[in-house]
Amino acid sequence: MRTRNILALAIALFALAASFPASASASSRAQDTEQRTKALILAFERKDLQAVSALFDADATLTLPLSFTGRREDAAHFTGKTEALAYVKNAFTIMGRIDFVNVKVSVSADGKESFVQANGDFTTADGRPYQNVYVYHFEWRGGRVVKGLEYGNPVTFCNTFGAPGC
């Protein structure tokens, strides 16, 4: 009986030891994703299109799921890095200052997804205040965003910009 217990303990310890490298690797991936997510937010704040581009995959998509009409439809969807970066460049153009405050970054245990919750303390290009609330969801592969979702209050956007569809 004692031999069986020792054998069971040895098998359990072996299994536990074998799991450590995978856990450390997942932990490392999660930390890397957190750092990349923070770098992406800082690139947005600096209006650094080249840095944003470096963090987007060639096949990346970017979606704004909250419509201006209140219907269950995307406000916008951009397919591929070129379209996504065109949206980002336009955002850089219409904003004077981009400053995210109260930023909270969460990352999945495997490092494949990250979430950002932040308040935007922005100004428009003509100097008006623009204070919105944001949630971003990013899916990562190979250190680059493959899918991005930007949730911002469309009412705040419409009240400030009066864009078509508002």
Side-chain angles (χ1 to χ4, degrees), residues 31 50 58 94 111:
Q31 288 175 346
Q50 187 173 12
I94 67 171

Side-chain angles (χ1 to χ4, degrees), residues 144-166:
R144 290 190 170 74
V145 173
V146 293
K147 181 178 179 182
L149 297 148
E150 177 185 317
Y151 297 87
N153 187 335
V155 174
T156 303
F157 183 84
C158 286
N159 287 343
T160 304
F161 293 101
C166 289

Side-chain angles (χ1 to χ4, degrees), residues 14-119:
F14 178 78
L16 181 62
S19 71
F20 277 114
S23 296
S25 179
S27 174
S28 176
R29 282 192 305 269
Q31 288 175 346
D32 289 347
T33 298
E34 181 178 2
Q35 293 306 314
R36 284 186 187 96
T37 302
K38 289 178 178 178
L40 183 57
I41 295 301
L42 290 172
F44 286 149
E45 289 182 320
R46 291 189 320 267
K47 297 184 178 184
D48 186 342
L49 193 62
Q50 187 173 12
V52 173
S53 177
L55 289 167
F56 269 67
D57 187 80
D59 297 323
T61 63
L62 183 60
T63 304
L64 285 65
L66 300 177
S67 74
F68 298 126
T69 64
R71 294 188 192 112
R72 285 189 178 171
E73 60 191 18
D74 295 337
H77 179 78
F78 308 97
T79 302
K81 186 176 188 174
T82 301
E83 285 186 15
L85 291 178
Y87 165 74
V88 172
K89 184 177 180 181
N90 183 61
F92 290 171
T93 301
I94 67 171
M95 295 298 168
R97 176 180 42 85
I98 298 175
D99 186 22
F100 290 103
V101 295
N102 301 319
V103 177
K104 295 177 182 85
V105 175
S106 303
V107 178
S108 63
D110 62 7
K112 293 181 180 179
E113 297 179 82
S114 63
F115 299 85
V116 178
Q117 178 184 345
N119 294 325

